[in-house]
Amino acid sequence: MPEISIVLVEPLYEGNVGFAARVMKNFGFTRLVLVNPCPLGDDAAMRASHARDVLDGARRMTTDEVYREFDFVVTTTGEVSKSVCTAMRMPYYTPAEVREIIADIDGTVAVLFGRENWGLANEELARANLICTIPTSEAYPILNLSHAVGILCYELANLPRGTYPLAGQVEMGSLYRHFDAFLDRIDHPDFKRENTMILLRRVLGRTKLTTREVSTLHGLMRRAEWHMENKD
Ligand SMILES: C[S@@+](CC[C@H](N)C(=O)[O-])C[C@H]1O[C@@H](n2cnc3c(N)ncnc32)[C@H](O)[C@@H]1O
């Protein structure tokens, strides 16, 4: 089973943090990460009920640290139509599809949930390997934060042991930087650069590259660079 952490980004209400801890424990999850949360006091503890251990054991991290540390990052949003999904043509996945995609990963997975008032920023959503949306009624698609956590926990519970050796975010970051430098070498137009890099992240992010495949892609680019240098 991939090692799954639930990450709450800047939660505003301690009650939601407590409820999230509780529903995580209901489905067997214990790794809670909090990014710049509201102060947590009696209300959070009361809502966590018998999941105080999950709440008390929560790690504090920044979003950058999450993206650096975890091998695979899933972000969640209820606002598919307005979000980066349509603006940048990012595909989005249901919780059941996410389960299928991450099931064989032997590594760490972070599932990010956004702020109660405005969710996750487009940049936060777009850095992920996958974007997940829970199908809901169009009349009111936005779930309460802890309810959304509950649905993902239900869907991702009891995954079998993963065996797929995924390349980590650090390796993927270095691959994207190499692509960026490679685009310089082939005089790729500046005005297209941002969209091309988004496309590369989008395609490569969801393909679950292994360390070996990443190193092969570096090797191919190095070879092309060598030929460009030695063409005369
Ligand atoms: C109250 S919502 C924030 C509202 C914000 N306008 C949005 O949709 O992202 C808090 C968080 O719950 C999660 N959430 C709410 N509804 C969801 C849905 N239908 N699918 C996936 N996640 C959802 C997302 O992580 C969201 O950032």
PDB file of all heavy atoms in Angstrom, residues 7 16 75-80 82 95 112-120 125 132-136 140-149 152, ligand 1:
ATOM      1  N   VAL A   7      -3.210  15.975   3.774  1.00  0.00           N
ATOM      2  CA  VAL A   7      -2.621  17.295   4.024  1.00  0.00           C
ATOM      3  C   VAL A   7      -3.724  18.351   3.981  1.00  0.00           C
ATOM      4  O   VAL A   7      -4.420  18.481   2.964  1.00  0.00           O
ATOM      5  CB  VAL A   7      -1.556  17.625   2.945  1.00  0.00           C
ATOM      6  CG1 VAL A   7      -0.900  18.975   3.245  1.00  0.00           C
ATOM      7  CG2 VAL A   7      -0.514  16.517   2.863  1.00  0.00           C
ATOM      8  N   ASN A  16     -13.127  21.493  11.839  1.00  0.00           N
ATOM      9  CA  ASN A  16     -12.910  20.696  10.617  1.00  0.00           C
ATOM     10  C   ASN A  16     -11.643  19.847  10.724  1.00  0.00           C
ATOM     11  O   ASN A  16     -11.603  18.725  10.224  1.00  0.00           O
ATOM     12  CB  ASN A  16     -12.785  21.615   9.396  1.00  0.00           C
ATOM     13  CG  ASN A  16     -14.147  21.984   8.831  1.00  0.00           C
ATOM     14  OD1 ASN A  16     -15.130  21.278   9.071  1.00  0.00           O
ATOM     15  ND2 ASN A  16     -14.204  23.080   8.093  1.00  0.00           N
ATOM     16  N   THR A  75      -4.059  16.621  -5.647  1.00  0.00           N
ATOM     17  CA  THR A  75      -4.768  17.775  -5.086  1.00  0.00           C
ATOM     18  C   THR A  75      -6.270  17.591  -5.326  1.00  0.00           C
ATOM     19  O   THR A  75      -6.680  16.860  -6.233  1.00  0.00           O
ATOM     20  CB  THR A  75      -4.299  19.107  -5.718  1.00  0.00           C
ATOM     21  OG1 THR A  75      -4.279  18.973  -7.142  1.00  0.00           O
ATOM     22  CG2 THR A  75      -2.917  19.485  -5.236  1.00  0.00           C
ATOM     23  N   THR A  76      -7.072  18.263  -4.515  1.00  0.00           N
ATOM     24  CA  THR A  76      -8.527  18.081  -4.624  1.00  0.00           C
ATOM     25  C   THR A  76      -9.210  19.433  -4.806  1.00  0.00           C
ATOM     26  O   THR A  76      -8.778  20.445  -4.244  1.00  0.00           O
ATOM     27  CB  THR A  76      -9.092  17.411  -3.353  1.00  0.00           C
ATOM     28  OG1 THR A  76      -8.740  18.213  -2.228  1.00  0.00           O
ATOM     29  CG2 THR A  76      -8.563  16.015  -3.175  1.00  0.00           C
ATOM     30  N   THR A  77     -10.263  19.428  -5.589  1.00  0.00           N
ATOM     31  CA  THR A  77     -11.047  20.651  -5.769  1.00  0.00           C
ATOM     32  C   THR A  77     -12.485  20.300  -6.126  1.00  0.00           C
ATOM     33  O   THR A  77     -12.739  19.283  -6.786  1.00  0.00           O
ATOM     34  CB  THR A  77     -10.458  21.553  -6.872  1.00  0.00           C
ATOM     35  OG1 THR A  77     -11.295  22.703  -7.021  1.00  0.00           O
ATOM     36  CG2 THR A  77     -10.360  20.856  -8.221  1.00  0.00           C
ATOM     37  N   GLY A  78     -13.398  21.156  -5.702  1.00  0.00           N
ATOM     38  CA  GLY A  78     -14.789  20.989  -6.093  1.00  0.00           C
ATOM     39  C   GLY A  78     -15.144  21.919  -7.238  1.00  0.00           C
ATOM     40  O   GLY A  78     -16.241  21.868  -7.786  1.00  0.00           O
ATOM     41  N   GLU A  79     -14.172  22.786  -7.577  1.00  0.00           N
ATOM     42  CA  GLU A  79     -14.478  23.818  -8.578  1.00  0.00           C
ATOM     43  C   GLU A  79     -13.816  23.513  -9.899  1.00  0.00           C
ATOM     44  O   GLU A  79     -13.008  24.277 -10.400  1.00  0.00           O
ATOM     45  CB  GLU A  79     -14.012  25.180  -8.060  1.00  0.00           C
ATOM     46  CG  GLU A  79     -14.716  25.552  -6.792  1.00  0.00           C
ATOM     47  CD  GLU A  79     -15.067  27.022  -6.747  1.00  0.00           C
ATOM     48  OE1 GLU A  79     -15.102  27.669  -7.818  1.00  0.00           O
ATOM     49  OE2 GLU A  79     -15.303  27.494  -5.650  1.00  0.00           O
ATOM     50  N   VAL A  80     -14.226  22.413 -10.484  1.00  0.00           N
ATOM     51  CA  VAL A  80     -13.584  21.969 -11.714  1.00  0.00           C
ATOM     52  C   VAL A  80     -13.744  22.987 -12.838  1.00  0.00           C
ATOM     53  O   VAL A  80     -12.802  23.313 -13.544  1.00  0.00           O
ATOM     54  CB  VAL A  80     -14.164  20.610 -12.143  1.00  0.00           C
ATOM     55  CG1 VAL A  80     -13.708  20.240 -13.533  1.00  0.00           C
ATOM     56  CG2 VAL A  80     -13.724  19.556 -11.148  1.00  0.00           C
ATOM     57  N   LYS A  82     -14.154  26.263 -12.916  1.00  0.00           N
ATOM     58  CA  LYS A  82     -13.410  27.517 -12.876  1.00  0.00           C
ATOM     59  C   LYS A  82     -11.916  27.289 -12.721  1.00  0.00           C
ATOM     60  O   LYS A  82     -11.136  28.206 -12.806  1.00  0.00           O
ATOM     61  CB  LYS A  82     -13.879  28.333 -11.658  1.00  0.00           C
ATOM     62  CG  LYS A  82     -15.177  29.057 -11.891  1.00  0.00           C
ATOM     63  CD  LYS A  82     -15.407  30.061 -10.783  1.00  0.00           C
ATOM     64  CE  LYS A  82     -16.590  29.654  -9.954  1.00  0.00           C
ATOM     65  NZ  LYS A  82     -16.617  30.199  -8.630  1.00  0.00           N
ATOM     66  N   PRO A  95     -12.285   9.988  -7.138  1.00  0.00           N
ATOM     67  CA  PRO A  95     -11.541   9.243  -6.126  1.00  0.00           C
ATOM     68  C   PRO A  95     -11.305   7.789  -6.536  1.00  0.00           C
ATOM     69  O   PRO A  95     -10.236   7.235  -6.288  1.00  0.00           O
ATOM     70  CB  PRO A  95     -12.450   9.345  -4.890  1.00  0.00           C
ATOM     71  CG  PRO A  95     -13.153  10.650  -5.078  1.00  0.00           C
ATOM     72  CD  PRO A  95     -13.412  10.744  -6.557  1.00  0.00           C
ATOM     73  N   LEU A 112      -3.900  16.493  -0.942  1.00  0.00           N
ATOM     74  CA  LEU A 112      -4.038  17.864  -0.423  1.00  0.00           C
ATOM     75  C   LEU A 112      -5.476  18.372  -0.490  1.00  0.00           C
ATOM     76  O   LEU A 112      -6.139  18.227  -1.535  1.00  0.00           O
ATOM     77  CB  LEU A 112      -3.171  18.820  -1.250  1.00  0.00           C
ATOM     78  CG  LEU A 112      -1.757  19.108  -0.753  1.00  0.00           C
ATOM     79  CD1 LEU A 112      -0.916  17.857  -0.820  1.00  0.00           C
ATOM     80  CD2 LEU A 112      -1.128  20.222  -1.567  1.00  0.00           C
ATOM     81  N   PHE A 113      -5.893  18.996   0.590  1.00  0.00           N
ATOM     82  CA  PHE A 113      -7.216  19.620   0.664  1.00  0.00           C
ATOM     83  C   PHE A 113      -7.022  21.104   0.946  1.00  0.00           C
ATOM     84  O   PHE A 113      -6.119  21.497   1.693  1.00  0.00           O
ATOM     85  CB  PHE A 113      -8.040  18.964   1.776  1.00  0.00           C
ATOM     86  CG  PHE A 113      -8.339  17.522   1.489  1.00  0.00           C
ATOM     87  CD1 PHE A 113      -7.425  16.536   1.818  1.00  0.00           C
ATOM     88  CD2 PHE A 113      -9.510  17.154   0.847  1.00  0.00           C
ATOM     89  CE1 PHE A 113      -7.676  15.193   1.520  1.00  0.00           C
ATOM     90  CE2 PHE A 113      -9.773  15.823   0.545  1.00  0.00           C
ATOM     91  CZ  PHE A 113      -8.856  14.842   0.889  1.00  0.00           C
ATOM     92  N   GLY A 114      -7.922  21.919   0.360  1.00  0.00           N
ATOM     93  CA  GLY A 114      -7.727  23.372   0.429  1.00  0.00           C
ATOM     94  C   GLY A 114      -8.475  24.058   1.555  1.00  0.00           C
ATOM     95  O   GLY A 114      -9.179  23.426   2.354  1.00  0.00           O
ATOM     96  N   ARG A 115      -8.305  25.356   1.579  1.00  0.00           N
ATOM     97  CA  ARG A 115      -8.920  26.216   2.595  1.00  0.00           C
ATOM     98  C   ARG A 115     -10.443  26.201   2.461  1.00  0.00           C
ATOM     99  O   ARG A 115     -10.959  26.115   1.332  1.00  0.00           O
ATOM    100  CB  ARG A 115      -8.418  27.650   2.403  1.00  0.00           C
ATOM    101  CG  ARG A 115      -6.910  27.774   2.454  1.00  0.00           C
ATOM    102  CD  ARG A 115      -6.434  28.765   1.406  1.00  0.00           C
ATOM    103  NE  ARG A 115      -4.984  28.836   1.357  1.00  0.00           N
ATOM    104  CZ  ARG A 115      -4.225  28.183   0.453  1.00  0.00           C
ATOM    105  NH1 ARG A 115      -4.787  27.429  -0.481  1.00  0.00           N
ATOM    106  NH2 ARG A 115      -2.923  28.300   0.475  1.00  0.00           N
ATOM    107  N   GLU A 116     -11.131  26.351   3.574  1.00  0.00           N
ATOM    108  CA  GLU A 116     -12.597  26.305   3.539  1.00  0.00           C
ATOM    109  C   GLU A 116     -13.186  27.445   2.698  1.00  0.00           C
ATOM    110  O   GLU A 116     -14.237  27.282   2.079  1.00  0.00           O
ATOM    111  CB  GLU A 116     -13.191  26.401   4.949  1.00  0.00           C
ATOM    112  CG  GLU A 116     -12.995  25.175   5.812  1.00  0.00           C
ATOM    113  CD  GLU A 116     -11.717  25.252   6.645  1.00  0.00           C
ATOM    114  OE1 GLU A 116     -10.760  25.934   6.225  1.00  0.00           O
ATOM    115  OE2 GLU A 116     -11.687  24.624   7.713  1.00  0.00           O
ATOM    116  N   ASN A 117     -12.499  28.602   2.666  1.00  0.00           N
ATOM    117  CA  ASN A 117     -13.115  29.734   1.945  1.00  0.00           C
ATOM    118  C   ASN A 117     -12.763  29.790   0.453  1.00  0.00           C
ATOM    119  O   ASN A 117     -13.587  30.158  -0.355  1.00  0.00           O
ATOM    120  CB  ASN A 117     -12.779  31.066   2.620  1.00  0.00           C
ATOM    121  CG  ASN A 117     -11.284  31.237   2.871  1.00  0.00           C
ATOM    122  OD1 ASN A 117     -10.498  30.316   2.658  1.00  0.00           O
ATOM    123  ND2 ASN A 117     -10.915  32.410   3.325  1.00  0.00           N
ATOM    124  N   TRP A 118     -11.529  29.396   0.096  1.00  0.00           N
ATOM    125  CA  TRP A 118     -11.234  29.466  -1.338  1.00  0.00           C
ATOM    126  C   TRP A 118     -10.422  28.298  -1.885  1.00  0.00           C
ATOM    127  O   TRP A 118      -9.912  28.332  -3.002  1.00  0.00           O
ATOM    128  CB  TRP A 118     -10.617  30.799  -1.728  1.00  0.00           C
ATOM    129  CG  TRP A 118      -9.381  31.216  -0.991  1.00  0.00           C
ATOM    130  CD1 TRP A 118      -9.342  31.858   0.212  1.00  0.00           C
ATOM    131  CD2 TRP A 118      -8.014  31.024  -1.391  1.00  0.00           C
ATOM    132  NE1 TRP A 118      -8.034  32.062   0.590  1.00  0.00           N
ATOM    133  CE2 TRP A 118      -7.193  31.585  -0.380  1.00  0.00           C
ATOM    134  CE3 TRP A 118      -7.403  30.450  -2.503  1.00  0.00           C
ATOM    135  CZ2 TRP A 118      -5.813  31.566  -0.443  1.00  0.00           C
ATOM    136  CZ3 TRP A 118      -6.009  30.444  -2.568  1.00  0.00           C
ATOM    137  CH2 TRP A 118      -5.244  30.996  -1.549  1.00  0.00           C
ATOM    138  N   GLY A 119     -10.356  27.225  -1.132  1.00  0.00           N
ATOM    139  CA  GLY A 119      -9.737  26.010  -1.675  1.00  0.00           C
ATOM    140  C   GLY A 119      -8.242  26.129  -1.885  1.00  0.00           C
ATOM    141  O   GLY A 119      -7.530  26.762  -1.110  1.00  0.00           O
ATOM    142  N   LEU A 120      -7.771  25.513  -2.948  1.00  0.00           N
ATOM    143  CA  LEU A 120      -6.349  25.560  -3.304  1.00  0.00           C
ATOM    144  C   LEU A 120      -6.174  26.534  -4.470  1.00  0.00           C
ATOM    145  O   LEU A 120      -7.030  26.604  -5.360  1.00  0.00           O
ATOM    146  CB  LEU A 120      -5.857  24.174  -3.728  1.00  0.00           C
ATOM    147  CG  LEU A 120      -5.808  23.106  -2.622  1.00  0.00           C
ATOM    148  CD1 LEU A 120      -5.590  21.714  -3.223  1.00  0.00           C
ATOM    149  CD2 LEU A 120      -4.733  23.407  -1.588  1.00  0.00           C
ATOM    150  N   LEU A 125      -2.774  23.642  -7.215  1.00  0.00           N
ATOM    151  CA  LEU A 125      -3.432  22.513  -7.896  1.00  0.00           C
ATOM    152  C   LEU A 125      -2.562  21.971  -9.025  1.00  0.00           C
ATOM    153  O   LEU A 125      -2.375  20.765  -9.156  1.00  0.00           O
ATOM    154  CB  LEU A 125      -4.765  22.962  -8.496  1.00  0.00           C
ATOM    155  CG  LEU A 125      -5.951  23.114  -7.561  1.00  0.00           C
ATOM    156  CD1 LEU A 125      -7.088  23.840  -8.267  1.00  0.00           C
ATOM    157  CD2 LEU A 125      -6.435  21.753  -7.062  1.00  0.00           C
ATOM    158  N   CYS A 132      -7.973  15.686  -8.289  1.00  0.00           N
ATOM    159  CA  CYS A 132      -9.146  14.835  -8.027  1.00  0.00           C
ATOM    160  C   CYS A 132     -10.362  15.694  -7.702  1.00  0.00           C
ATOM    161  O   CYS A 132     -10.260  16.680  -6.968  1.00  0.00           O
ATOM    162  CB  CYS A 132      -8.835  13.939  -6.829  1.00  0.00           C
ATOM    163  SG  CYS A 132     -10.263  13.022  -6.228  1.00  0.00           S
ATOM    164  N   THR A 133     -11.492  15.323  -8.254  1.00  0.00           N
ATOM    165  CA  THR A 133     -12.739  15.971  -7.865  1.00  0.00           C
ATOM    166  C   THR A 133     -13.768  14.895  -7.539  1.00  0.00           C
ATOM    167  O   THR A 133     -13.821  13.862  -8.203  1.00  0.00           O
ATOM    168  CB  THR A 133     -13.230  16.963  -8.941  1.00  0.00           C
ATOM    169  OG1 THR A 133     -14.234  17.783  -8.368  1.00  0.00           O
ATOM    170  CG2 THR A 133     -13.792  16.275 -10.162  1.00  0.00           C
ATOM    171  N   ILE A 134     -14.521  15.132  -6.485  1.00  0.00           N
ATOM    172  CA  ILE A 134     -15.550  14.172  -6.076  1.00  0.00           C
ATOM    173  C   ILE A 134     -16.825  14.541  -6.825  1.00  0.00           C
ATOM    174  O   ILE A 134     -17.290  15.687  -6.711  1.00  0.00           O
ATOM    175  CB  ILE A 134     -15.786  14.265  -4.552  1.00  0.00           C
ATOM    176  CG1 ILE A 134     -14.483  13.968  -3.801  1.00  0.00           C
ATOM    177  CG2 ILE A 134     -16.908  13.335  -4.120  1.00  0.00           C
ATOM    178  CD1 ILE A 134     -14.491  14.420  -2.340  1.00  0.00           C
ATOM    179  N   PRO A 135     -17.366  13.602  -7.615  1.00  0.00           N
ATOM    180  CA  PRO A 135     -18.591  13.938  -8.349  1.00  0.00           C
ATOM    181  C   PRO A 135     -19.717  14.261  -7.364  1.00  0.00           C
ATOM    182  O   PRO A 135     -19.976  13.488  -6.440  1.00  0.00           O
ATOM    183  CB  PRO A 135     -18.902  12.659  -9.136  1.00  0.00           C
ATOM    184  CG  PRO A 135     -17.665  11.834  -9.071  1.00  0.00           C
ATOM    185  CD  PRO A 135     -16.934  12.218  -7.830  1.00  0.00           C
ATOM    186  N   THR A 136     -20.337  15.402  -7.570  1.00  0.00           N
ATOM    187  CA  THR A 136     -21.395  15.845  -6.649  1.00  0.00           C
ATOM    188  C   THR A 136     -22.538  16.441  -7.477  1.00  0.00           C
ATOM    189  O   THR A 136     -22.428  16.550  -8.685  1.00  0.00           O
ATOM    190  CB  THR A 136     -20.861  16.960  -5.721  1.00  0.00           C
ATOM    191  OG1 THR A 136     -20.049  17.821  -6.512  1.00  0.00           O
ATOM    192  CG2 THR A 136     -20.040  16.415  -4.571  1.00  0.00           C
ATOM    193  N   TYR A 140     -24.960  21.981  -5.932  1.00  0.00           N
ATOM    194  CA  TYR A 140     -24.115  22.392  -4.815  1.00  0.00           C
ATOM    195  C   TYR A 140     -22.912  21.450  -4.746  1.00  0.00           C
ATOM    196  O   TYR A 140     -22.886  20.496  -3.972  1.00  0.00           O
ATOM    197  CB  TYR A 140     -24.915  22.344  -3.509  1.00  0.00           C
ATOM    198  CG  TYR A 140     -24.243  23.024  -2.328  1.00  0.00           C
ATOM    199  CD1 TYR A 140     -23.081  23.774  -2.477  1.00  0.00           C
ATOM    200  CD2 TYR A 140     -24.781  22.924  -1.055  1.00  0.00           C
ATOM    201  CE1 TYR A 140     -22.483  24.401  -1.407  1.00  0.00           C
ATOM    202  CE2 TYR A 140     -24.184  23.550   0.033  1.00  0.00           C
ATOM    203  CZ  TYR A 140     -23.023  24.278  -0.159  1.00  0.00           C
ATOM    204  OH  TYR A 140     -22.421  24.892   0.921  1.00  0.00           O
ATOM    205  N   PRO A 141     -21.900  21.717  -5.578  1.00  0.00           N
ATOM    206  CA  PRO A 141     -20.789  20.749  -5.711  1.00  0.00           C
ATOM    207  C   PRO A 141     -19.761  20.807  -4.590  1.00  0.00           C
ATOM    208  O   PRO A 141     -18.949  19.911  -4.462  1.00  0.00           O
ATOM    209  CB  PRO A 141     -20.145  21.140  -7.044  1.00  0.00           C
ATOM    210  CG  PRO A 141     -20.474  22.573  -7.232  1.00  0.00           C
ATOM    211  CD  PRO A 141     -21.791  22.822  -6.556  1.00  0.00           C
ATOM    212  N   ILE A 142     -19.784  21.872  -3.785  1.00  0.00           N
ATOM    213  CA  ILE A 142     -18.700  22.047  -2.807  1.00  0.00           C
ATOM    214  C   ILE A 142     -19.037  21.372  -1.489  1.00  0.00           C
ATOM    215  O   ILE A 142     -20.018  21.719  -0.821  1.00  0.00           O
ATOM    216  CB  ILE A 142     -18.418  23.551  -2.569  1.00  0.00           C
ATOM    217  CG1 ILE A 142     -18.128  24.271  -3.884  1.00  0.00           C
ATOM    218  CG2 ILE A 142     -17.246  23.703  -1.587  1.00  0.00           C
ATOM    219  CD1 ILE A 142     -16.967  23.715  -4.665  1.00  0.00           C
ATOM    220  N   LEU A 143     -18.191  20.421  -1.120  1.00  0.00           N
ATOM    221  CA  LEU A 143     -18.380  19.684   0.126  1.00  0.00           C
ATOM    222  C   LEU A 143     -17.694  20.409   1.278  1.00  0.00           C
ATOM    223  O   LEU A 143     -16.739  21.165   1.071  1.00  0.00           O
ATOM    224  CB  LEU A 143     -17.729  18.300   0.001  1.00  0.00           C
ATOM    225  CG  LEU A 143     -18.394  17.326  -0.958  1.00  0.00           C
ATOM    226  CD1 LEU A 143     -17.365  16.373  -1.544  1.00  0.00           C
ATOM    227  CD2 LEU A 143     -19.459  16.538  -0.215  1.00  0.00           C
ATOM    228  N   ASN A 144     -18.136  20.098   2.483  1.00  0.00           N
ATOM    229  CA  ASN A 144     -17.396  20.524   3.657  1.00  0.00           C
ATOM    230  C   ASN A 144     -16.023  19.841   3.618  1.00  0.00           C
ATOM    231  O   ASN A 144     -15.902  18.690   3.188  1.00  0.00           O
ATOM    232  CB  ASN A 144     -18.182  20.107   4.916  1.00  0.00           C
ATOM    233  CG  ASN A 144     -17.329  20.193   6.158  1.00  0.00           C
ATOM    234  OD1 ASN A 144     -16.619  19.249   6.492  1.00  0.00           O
ATOM    235  ND2 ASN A 144     -17.381  21.323   6.828  1.00  0.00           N
ATOM    236  N   LEU A 145     -15.009  20.550   4.079  1.00  0.00           N
ATOM    237  CA  LEU A 145     -13.641  20.031   4.034  1.00  0.00           C
ATOM    238  C   LEU A 145     -13.526  18.615   4.620  1.00  0.00           C
ATOM    239  O   LEU A 145     -12.974  17.700   3.992  1.00  0.00           O
ATOM    240  CB  LEU A 145     -12.718  20.996   4.799  1.00  0.00           C
ATOM    241  CG  LEU A 145     -11.295  20.542   5.086  1.00  0.00           C
ATOM    242  CD1 LEU A 145     -10.517  20.288   3.802  1.00  0.00           C
ATOM    243  CD2 LEU A 145     -10.568  21.595   5.926  1.00  0.00           C
ATOM    244  N   SER A 146     -14.061  18.415   5.822  1.00  0.00           N
ATOM    245  CA  SER A 146     -13.867  17.105   6.461  1.00  0.00           C
ATOM    246  C   SER A 146     -14.687  16.013   5.765  1.00  0.00           C
ATOM    247  O   SER A 146     -14.306  14.845   5.767  1.00  0.00           O
ATOM    248  CB  SER A 146     -14.215  17.160   7.946  1.00  0.00           C
ATOM    249  OG  SER A 146     -15.583  17.395   8.123  1.00  0.00           O
ATOM    250  N   HIS A 147     -15.796  16.394   5.124  1.00  0.00           N
ATOM    251  CA  HIS A 147     -16.565  15.402   4.368  1.00  0.00           C
ATOM    252  C   HIS A 147     -15.768  14.957   3.136  1.00  0.00           C
ATOM    253  O   HIS A 147     -15.760  13.768   2.791  1.00  0.00           O
ATOM    254  CB  HIS A 147     -17.916  15.976   3.928  1.00  0.00           C
ATOM    255  CG  HIS A 147     -18.807  16.339   5.084  1.00  0.00           C
ATOM    256  ND1 HIS A 147     -20.069  16.854   4.924  1.00  0.00           N
ATOM    257  CD2 HIS A 147     -18.609  16.282   6.415  1.00  0.00           C
ATOM    258  CE1 HIS A 147     -20.613  17.081   6.107  1.00  0.00           C
ATOM    259  NE2 HIS A 147     -19.737  16.741   7.024  1.00  0.00           N
ATOM    260  N   ALA A 148     -15.108  15.935   2.500  1.00  0.00           N
ATOM    261  CA  ALA A 148     -14.277  15.583   1.332  1.00  0.00           C
ATOM    262  C   ALA A 148     -13.142  14.655   1.773  1.00  0.00           C
ATOM    263  O   ALA A 148     -12.841  13.660   1.098  1.00  0.00           O
ATOM    264  CB  ALA A 148     -13.722  16.857   0.680  1.00  0.00           C
ATOM    265  N   VAL A 149     -12.537  14.942   2.926  1.00  0.00           N
ATOM    266  CA  VAL A 149     -11.474  14.067   3.438  1.00  0.00           C
ATOM    267  C   VAL A 149     -12.041  12.655   3.654  1.00  0.00           C
ATOM    268  O   VAL A 149     -11.431  11.653   3.284  1.00  0.00           O
ATOM    269  CB  VAL A 149     -10.879  14.620   4.767  1.00  0.00           C
ATOM    270  CG1 VAL A 149      -9.922  13.611   5.407  1.00  0.00           C
ATOM    271  CG2 VAL A 149     -10.168  15.952   4.521  1.00  0.00           C
ATOM    272  N   LEU A 152     -12.457  10.677   0.325  1.00  0.00           N
ATOM    273  CA  LEU A 152     -11.168  10.192  -0.195  1.00  0.00           C
ATOM    274  C   LEU A 152     -10.630   9.063   0.675  1.00  0.00           C
ATOM    275  O   LEU A 152     -10.105   8.060   0.161  1.00  0.00           O
ATOM    276  CB  LEU A 152     -10.161  11.353  -0.260  1.00  0.00           C
ATOM    277  CG  LEU A 152      -9.944  12.067  -1.607  1.00  0.00           C
ATOM    278  CD1 LEU A 152      -9.390  11.119  -2.663  1.00  0.00           C
ATOM    279  CD2 LEU A 152     -11.212  12.698  -2.117  1.00  0.00           C
TER     280      LEU A 152
HETATM  281  C1  LIG B   1     -15.079  24.093   1.296  1.00  0.00           C
HETATM  282  S1  LIG B   1     -13.999  23.528   0.108  1.00  0.00           S
HETATM  283  C2  LIG B   1     -13.296  25.019  -0.558  1.00  0.00           C
HETATM  284  C3  LIG B   1     -14.152  25.650  -1.547  1.00  0.00           C
HETATM  285  C4  LIG B   1     -13.410  26.049  -2.788  1.00  0.00           C
HETATM  286  N1  LIG B   1     -14.244  26.974  -3.475  1.00  0.00           N
HETATM  287  C5  LIG B   1     -13.057  24.823  -3.637  1.00  0.00           C
HETATM  288  O1  LIG B   1     -13.893  24.204  -4.239  1.00  0.00           O
HETATM  289  O2  LIG B   1     -11.903  24.391  -3.752  1.00  0.00           O
HETATM  290  C6  LIG B   1     -12.599  22.973   1.025  1.00  0.00           C
HETATM  291  C7  LIG B   1     -11.846  21.863   0.359  1.00  0.00           C
HETATM  292  O3  LIG B   1     -12.652  20.687   0.365  1.00  0.00           O
HETATM  293  C8  LIG B   1     -12.308  19.901  -0.771  1.00  0.00           C
HETATM  294  N2  LIG B   1     -13.531  19.724  -1.589  1.00  0.00           N
HETATM  295  C9  LIG B   1     -14.726  20.298  -1.432  1.00  0.00           C
HETATM  296  N3  LIG B   1     -15.598  19.851  -2.357  1.00  0.00           N
HETATM  297  C10 LIG B   1     -14.928  18.961  -3.127  1.00  0.00           C
HETATM  298  C11 LIG B   1     -15.275  18.140  -4.250  1.00  0.00           C
HETATM  299  N4  LIG B   1     -16.491  18.120  -4.804  1.00  0.00           N
HETATM  300  N5  LIG B   1     -14.298  17.369  -4.776  1.00  0.00           N
HETATM  301  C12 LIG B   1     -13.055  17.343  -4.259  1.00  0.00           C
HETATM  302  N6  LIG B   1     -12.682  18.082  -3.195  1.00  0.00           N
HETATM  303  C13 LIG B   1     -13.593  18.881  -2.636  1.00  0.00           C
HETATM  304  C14 LIG B   1     -11.216  20.642  -1.528  1.00  0.00           C
HETATM  305  O4  LIG B   1      -9.967  20.212  -1.047  1.00  0.00           O
HETATM  306  C15 LIG B   1     -11.461  22.069  -1.083  1.00  0.00           C
HETATM  307  O5  LIG B   1     -10.302  22.856  -1.239  1.00  0.00           O
END
